[in-house]
Amino acid sequence: TVFRVGSWTYRGGAMVNSTFTVADGRMWFLEGRSKEAVSKAGEQVRLAAIFEDASIVCLDTKSGKKLWRVPFPKTRIGHSVFLATDGGYLVAVGGFSNELVTKKDDGTESKRLQTWYEVMCFDSLDGKLRWRKDHSNNVHGSGGEHGEQVHHPVLRDGVLFVEPVAYHLDSGERWNPDGGNSPWYIGARRGCGTFSASASCLYFRNHNPMAMPIGRGAKQTKITAVSRPGCWISILPVGGMVLLPEASSGCVCAFPVQTSMGFVPRR
């Protein structure tokens, strides 16, 4: 694959679009160099083929010079993978189907799949792995019908939100807004879409567009009851406003108003 930025060009294997991350004069991305990944670069490539021989690459954005390349750790990620960076940390988040086995009273076993997330945190300067965790989604089944397997993470002030939990970015410990013993957790919600955030609130769909202050015991507030956000990231907190670009008109959801909206704080 050939990647061009301004006056420089990078040539490599299959670069994963959802992992391109830029900050502070650097660019990071996940690159697969297996035979299948390279032969199908520019097309749809299986994550399994990417992870056969995957690396995180860091480039200088001005010169295109490769600053480092580190092998990506062995992983169960199979649905999607994202990179994001903040404050010297680089995180990788992806979904996978985890088989849960339950033993019954009669001695037999039942098996079911549930969507889980694997979370890794690297040093953004050299790619050293600092910590890794995994956790389950908050809905039963393997997910998919409402995008559970492709939820995008949110970074905010040293906290990493990977629905339905949150981590301290520096340590990997579960985040407690008030320092108590019960980590932050958000219950199951209704509908597609993934989190966005402002300095003080998380935004997401729960039937309708919702806002929830970031903190212990925060309650969800319905932004509007007549529409819904899109199936990806379409609630935009920008410049003190909350913008809802129309993204529901191709869906069968029964909401009466299909139009773009903008909301300002109540005075």
Side-chain angles (χ1 to χ4, degrees), residues 199-247:
S200 59
C201 289
L202 291 169
Y203 300 90
F204 49 88
R205 182 187 175 196
N206 191 357
H207 287 285
N208 299 112
M210 308 294 289
M212 185 175 74
I214 299 173
R216 170 71 58 199
K219 297 185 180 300
Q220 301 179 20
T221 300
K222 189 174 294 187
I223 298 174
T224 174
V226 298
S227 71
R228 71 159 180 82
C231 294
W232 187 227
I233 306 172
S234 62
I235 304 178
L236 309 178
V238 180
M241 299 180 63
V242 175
L243 306 180
L244 300 178
E246 165 51 30

Side-chain angles (χ1 to χ4, degrees), residues 26-30 54-59 67-73 83-85 88-92 120-132:
R26 295 188 174 206
M27 172 186 295
W28 302 264
F29 55 88
L30 188 65
S55 299
I56 299 177
V57 179
C58 179
L59 306 180
L67 301 178
W68 51 260
R69 172 196 297 275
V70 297
F72 195 78
L83 294 183
T85 187
Y89 302 100
L90 180 72
V91 296
M120 304 180 195
C121 181
F122 305 86
D123 190 307
S124 66
L125 295 180
D126 58 16
K128 180 181 179 180
L129 180 65
R130 300 179 64 94
W131 56 265
R132 66 188 297 175

